[in-house]
Structures are given as C-alpha cells and as structure tokens.
Amino acid sequence: MPETLESPHTRPLSVEPDTAAVHRTLADRLRVDPLNTAITVSVDVLGGAVAVAGALLWYSGSLVETGWLPWLFLPLLIGIMAGKSMYRRSLRRNFLDEIGPAETAVAFAVLALTVVMFLSDTDYRPSAVVLRLWLLSAFTIAIARLIRIVVQRM
C-alpha cells in the first residue's frame, strides 16, 4: 500500500486530553456566557444601588426615611434591561453600542418608578427623589458599563 497523508478521519484518536481546553485563563472564563451574564447583571445592580443610595442621601441624608419605594428602581432596571436583551452576548458589542439602550432602560425604569410612587401616595415629593435618582443612575450605569468593558478587554 502506498504511503499517503493521514486524513483527520484515519488518524488515531489521541488519549491525552486537549491541554488548551483544560488550561483556560481567568479572563477567558469571564468571557463565557453564564459567568459573563452574571457579572454584567452584578455590575448593573451595583451601579443602580450606588445611584439609589446616593439619591437618597442627597435628598434626605438617610437611607430609610423615604421607605422601600425608591429601592424598587433596581428590579425595574434589571427587568427592563433583560427585556431589551442587554444581557445576551454578541460578537461586536462595544461601549457605544451599549450606552444608548442602557440609558433608555434607566429612563424607563425611572418613569415606571415615578408612576408607582405617585400612585402609592407617599408623604414626600417623589419628583425630588426621582430626579436625583435619574441623574445619578444615568452616570453610574454608564460608568459601570464602561469599566466592565475596559476590564473585559484586558
């Protein structure tokens, strides 16, 4: 039989495990889907929590004086972002692709929170809290997303 080149179909299977698949770096593990989604949601929750805490401290100097209604912003924000598919991975997503939908989600979450606060008949003016929350969350969500993208690219 003449000597021919081995094809992938006739080559014997190797008994050693593939070392490239076994030894992935931390940066590679952070880019795969379940962990990447969890990190992105955590970054958004942290940015939103900083915004709510900052808005409440800016308004009254206390985190508990206004009750639990301003904290409803966090699940509203995460729900709207998830509804807009902002936690799916895409091949060419950069900061400029994310900032528009993220700020739109912040605006819709603040609008929904305003409606809930007006309907619940609070003892304070909801607009004073919500305005501060909107300003701070627009800033903190954008900065949090930018930091996540910069760290992910390293």
Tab-separated table of all heavy atoms in Angstrom, residues 77-107:
chain	number	residue	atom	x	y	z
A	77	LEU	N	-35.105	48.286	36.789
A	77	LEU	CA	-33.994	48.486	35.852
A	77	LEU	C	-33.509	47.165	35.279
A	77	LEU	O	-33.347	47.030	34.062
A	77	LEU	CB	-32.847	49.222	36.547
A	77	LEU	CG	-31.591	49.431	35.707
A	77	LEU	CD1	-31.879	50.410	34.567
A	77	LEU	CD2	-30.457	49.935	36.568
A	78	ILE	N	-33.287	46.178	36.141
A	78	ILE	CA	-32.783	44.882	35.669
A	78	ILE	C	-33.822	44.203	34.786
A	78	ILE	O	-33.476	43.607	33.756
A	78	ILE	CB	-32.393	43.995	36.868
A	78	ILE	CG1	-31.278	44.663	37.683
A	78	ILE	CG2	-31.957	42.612	36.409
A	78	ILE	CD1	-30.031	44.995	36.911
A	79	GLY	N	-35.092	44.311	35.134
A	79	GLY	CA	-36.145	43.727	34.308
A	79	GLY	C	-36.232	44.369	32.932
A	79	GLY	O	-36.394	43.672	31.923
A	80	ILE	N	-36.112	45.679	32.875
A	80	ILE	CA	-36.165	46.375	31.583
A	80	ILE	C	-34.933	46.040	30.754
A	80	ILE	O	-35.027	45.796	29.544
A	80	ILE	CB	-36.333	47.888	31.787
A	80	ILE	CG1	-37.728	48.180	32.340
A	80	ILE	CG2	-36.103	48.654	30.495
A	80	ILE	CD1	-37.929	49.602	32.778
A	81	MET	N	-33.772	45.998	31.384
A	81	MET	CA	-32.560	45.644	30.639
A	81	MET	C	-32.615	44.204	30.128
A	81	MET	O	-32.178	43.931	29.011
A	81	MET	CB	-31.324	45.865	31.500
A	81	MET	CG	-30.951	47.304	31.662
A	81	MET	SD	-29.431	47.455	32.581
A	81	MET	CE	-28.824	48.995	31.970
A	82	ALA	N	-33.146	43.312	30.934
A	82	ALA	CA	-33.281	41.923	30.483
A	82	ALA	C	-34.305	41.832	29.357
A	82	ALA	O	-34.120	41.068	28.406
A	82	ALA	CB	-33.689	41.031	31.649
A	83	GLY	N	-35.371	42.607	29.455
A	83	GLY	CA	-36.377	42.621	28.398
A	83	GLY	C	-35.845	43.163	27.088
A	83	GLY	O	-36.318	42.795	26.009
A	84	LYS	N	-34.855	44.034	27.153
A	84	LYS	CA	-34.238	44.583	25.946
A	84	LYS	C	-33.067	43.730	25.465
A	84	LYS	O	-32.322	44.159	24.588
A	84	LYS	CB	-33.753	46.003	26.223
A	84	LYS	CG	-34.889	46.984	26.472
A	84	LYS	CD	-34.366	48.361	26.739
A	84	LYS	CE	-33.842	48.884	25.446
A	84	LYS	NZ	-33.947	50.313	25.256
A	85	SER	N	-32.890	42.543	26.049
A	85	SER	CA	-31.826	41.593	25.679
A	85	SER	C	-30.433	42.191	25.831
A	85	SER	O	-29.541	41.932	25.028
A	85	SER	CB	-32.011	41.091	24.248
A	85	SER	OG	-33.229	40.448	24.104
A	86	MET	N	-30.235	42.978	26.870
A	86	MET	CA	-28.920	43.576	27.081
A	86	MET	C	-27.956	42.645	27.796
A	86	MET	O	-26.792	42.992	27.969
A	86	MET	CB	-29.068	44.879	27.862
A	86	MET	CG	-29.763	45.940	27.061
A	86	MET	SD	-29.565	47.553	27.762
A	86	MET	CE	-27.818	47.772	27.640
A	87	TYR	N	-28.412	41.487	28.204
A	87	TYR	CA	-27.533	40.541	28.877
A	87	TYR	C	-27.132	39.393	27.972
A	87	TYR	O	-26.521	38.433	28.418
A	87	TYR	CB	-28.199	40.022	30.155
A	87	TYR	CG	-28.407	41.131	31.147
A	87	TYR	CD1	-29.663	41.441	31.624
A	87	TYR	CD2	-27.349	41.912	31.568
A	87	TYR	CE1	-29.853	42.469	32.524
A	87	TYR	CE2	-27.531	42.951	32.455
A	87	TYR	CZ	-28.785	43.218	32.924
A	87	TYR	OH	-28.968	44.250	33.803
A	88	ARG	N	-27.459	39.468	26.693
A	88	ARG	CA	-27.004	38.469	25.728
A	88	ARG	C	-25.639	38.857	25.212
A	88	ARG	O	-25.329	40.026	25.038
A	88	ARG	CB	-27.968	38.384	24.556
A	88	ARG	CG	-29.236	37.736	24.910
A	88	ARG	CD	-29.966	37.369	23.677
A	88	ARG	NE	-31.212	36.727	24.074
A	88	ARG	CZ	-32.166	36.450	23.244
A	88	ARG	NH1	-32.034	36.740	21.976
A	88	ARG	NH2	-33.254	35.872	23.671
A	89	ARG	N	-24.861	37.838	24.914
A	89	ARG	CA	-23.543	38.094	24.347
A	89	ARG	C	-23.675	38.357	22.860
A	89	ARG	O	-24.502	37.777	22.187
A	89	ARG	CB	-22.628	36.895	24.567
A	89	ARG	CG	-22.372	36.638	25.998
A	89	ARG	CD	-20.955	36.424	26.418
A	89	ARG	NE	-19.976	36.097	25.442
A	89	ARG	CZ	-18.933	36.871	25.190
A	89	ARG	NH1	-18.793	38.001	25.822
A	89	ARG	NH2	-18.038	36.527	24.311
A	90	SER	N	-22.853	39.248	22.363
A	90	SER	CA	-22.780	39.476	20.927
A	90	SER	C	-21.309	39.608	20.544
A	90	SER	O	-20.454	39.865	21.399
A	90	SER	CB	-23.560	40.723	20.527
A	90	SER	OG	-22.947	41.862	21.050
A	91	LEU	N	-21.035	39.431	19.291
A	91	LEU	CA	-19.638	39.397	18.861
A	91	LEU	C	-18.982	40.769	18.867
A	91	LEU	O	-17.837	40.906	19.265
A	91	LEU	CB	-19.552	38.788	17.456
A	91	LEU	CG	-19.937	37.321	17.381
A	91	LEU	CD1	-19.883	36.858	15.934
A	91	LEU	CD2	-19.021	36.493	18.246
A	92	ARG	N	-19.668	41.767	18.416
A	92	ARG	CA	-19.049	43.077	18.279
A	92	ARG	C	-19.767	44.132	19.100
A	92	ARG	O	-20.177	45.156	18.592
A	92	ARG	CB	-19.034	43.477	16.813
A	92	ARG	CG	-18.347	42.518	15.930
A	92	ARG	CD	-17.224	43.026	15.107
A	92	ARG	NE	-17.218	44.446	14.888
A	92	ARG	CZ	-16.134	45.174	15.023
A	92	ARG	NH1	-15.019	44.626	15.397
A	92	ARG	NH2	-16.170	46.455	14.783
A	93	ARG	N	-19.913	43.911	20.365
A	93	ARG	CA	-20.562	44.907	21.219
A	93	ARG	C	-19.492	45.738	21.909
A	93	ARG	O	-18.581	45.210	22.535
A	93	ARG	CB	-21.440	44.228	22.267
A	93	ARG	CG	-22.142	45.235	23.148
A	93	ARG	CD	-23.029	44.578	24.133
A	93	ARG	NE	-24.234	44.141	23.451
A	93	ARG	CZ	-25.204	43.483	24.041
A	93	ARG	NH1	-25.113	43.160	25.300
A	93	ARG	NH2	-26.273	43.125	23.380
A	94	ASN	N	-19.603	47.035	21.792
A	94	ASN	CA	-18.675	47.918	22.478
A	94	ASN	C	-19.467	48.912	23.325
A	94	ASN	O	-20.681	48.834	23.407
A	94	ASN	CB	-17.753	48.631	21.474
A	94	ASN	CG	-18.519	49.423	20.448
A	94	ASN	OD1	-19.675	49.752	20.654
A	94	ASN	ND2	-17.878	49.721	19.332
A	95	PHE	N	-18.773	49.833	23.940
A	95	PHE	CA	-19.422	50.770	24.853
A	95	PHE	C	-20.454	51.633	24.139
A	95	PHE	O	-21.538	51.884	24.670
A	95	PHE	CB	-18.366	51.647	25.532
A	95	PHE	CG	-18.943	52.670	26.448
A	95	PHE	CD1	-19.551	52.298	27.638
A	95	PHE	CD2	-18.908	54.012	26.125
A	95	PHE	CE1	-20.101	53.242	28.492
A	95	PHE	CE2	-19.446	54.966	26.968
A	95	PHE	CZ	-20.039	54.577	28.148
A	96	LEU	N	-20.147	52.079	22.948
A	96	LEU	CA	-21.084	52.938	22.221
A	96	LEU	C	-22.347	52.186	21.816
A	96	LEU	O	-23.414	52.787	21.706
A	96	LEU	CB	-20.406	53.535	20.992
A	96	LEU	CG	-19.275	54.520	21.300
A	96	LEU	CD1	-18.626	55.002	20.014
A	96	LEU	CD2	-19.774	55.680	22.120
A	97	ASP	N	-22.245	50.868	21.625
A	97	ASP	CA	-23.430	50.070	21.325
A	97	ASP	C	-24.300	49.864	22.554
A	97	ASP	O	-25.502	49.649	22.437
A	97	ASP	CB	-23.040	48.691	20.772
A	97	ASP	CG	-22.394	48.781	19.406
A	97	ASP	OD1	-22.659	49.768	18.699
A	97	ASP	OD2	-21.620	47.870	19.055
A	98	GLU	N	-23.698	49.895	23.739
A	98	GLU	CA	-24.430	49.622	24.977
A	98	GLU	C	-24.990	50.866	25.656
A	98	GLU	O	-25.965	50.773	26.392
A	98	GLU	CB	-23.527	48.893	25.975
A	98	GLU	CG	-23.236	47.476	25.592
A	98	GLU	CD	-22.509	46.739	26.687
A	98	GLU	OE1	-22.201	47.347	27.728
A	98	GLU	OE2	-22.251	45.554	26.495
A	99	ILE	N	-24.379	52.016	25.445
A	99	ILE	CA	-24.748	53.190	26.229
A	99	ILE	C	-26.156	53.688	25.900
A	99	ILE	O	-26.907	54.069	26.798
A	99	ILE	CB	-23.691	54.317	26.077
A	99	ILE	CG1	-23.938	55.428	27.096
A	99	ILE	CG2	-23.685	54.888	24.682
A	99	ILE	CD1	-23.728	55.020	28.502
A	100	GLY	N	-26.547	53.662	24.650
A	100	GLY	CA	-27.887	54.127	24.278
A	100	GLY	C	-28.996	53.288	24.887
A	100	GLY	O	-29.888	53.818	25.566
A	101	PRO	N	-28.985	51.961	24.669
A	101	PRO	CA	-30.020	51.127	25.296
A	101	PRO	C	-29.965	51.142	26.822
A	101	PRO	O	-31.004	51.053	27.478
A	101	PRO	CB	-29.725	49.726	24.749
A	101	PRO	CG	-28.994	49.954	23.477
A	101	PRO	CD	-28.206	51.209	23.688
A	102	ALA	N	-28.779	51.264	27.402
A	102	ALA	CA	-28.678	51.302	28.866
A	102	ALA	C	-29.315	52.574	29.417
A	102	ALA	O	-30.061	52.523	30.408
A	102	ALA	CB	-27.213	51.198	29.303
A	103	GLU	N	-29.059	53.709	28.794
A	103	GLU	CA	-29.645	54.960	29.261
A	103	GLU	C	-31.153	54.994	29.009
A	103	GLU	O	-31.900	55.584	29.789
A	103	GLU	CB	-28.955	56.153	28.598
A	103	GLU	CG	-27.501	56.309	28.995
A	103	GLU	CD	-27.296	56.482	30.486
A	103	GLU	OE1	-28.104	57.173	31.139
A	103	GLU	OE2	-26.323	55.918	31.007
A	104	THR	N	-31.597	54.362	27.937
A	104	THR	CA	-33.032	54.254	27.695
A	104	THR	C	-33.701	53.401	28.768
A	104	THR	O	-34.791	53.734	29.252
A	104	THR	CB	-33.293	53.653	26.303
A	104	THR	OG1	-32.629	54.458	25.329
A	104	THR	CG2	-34.767	53.589	25.987
A	105	ALA	N	-33.036	52.311	29.153
A	105	ALA	CA	-33.574	51.460	30.215
A	105	ALA	C	-33.624	52.210	31.541
A	105	ALA	O	-34.575	52.052	32.315
A	105	ALA	CB	-32.723	50.195	30.348
A	106	VAL	N	-32.614	53.024	31.818
A	106	VAL	CA	-32.616	53.844	33.039
A	106	VAL	C	-33.798	54.810	33.011
A	106	VAL	O	-34.521	54.956	34.008
A	106	VAL	CB	-31.276	54.611	33.178
A	106	VAL	CG1	-31.377	55.710	34.217
A	106	VAL	CG2	-30.152	53.658	33.539
A	107	ALA	N	-34.029	55.453	31.877
A	107	ALA	CA	-35.132	56.415	31.781
A	107	ALA	C	-36.491	55.725	31.963
A	107	ALA	O	-37.364	56.246	32.663
A	107	ALA	CB	-35.075	57.128	30.433
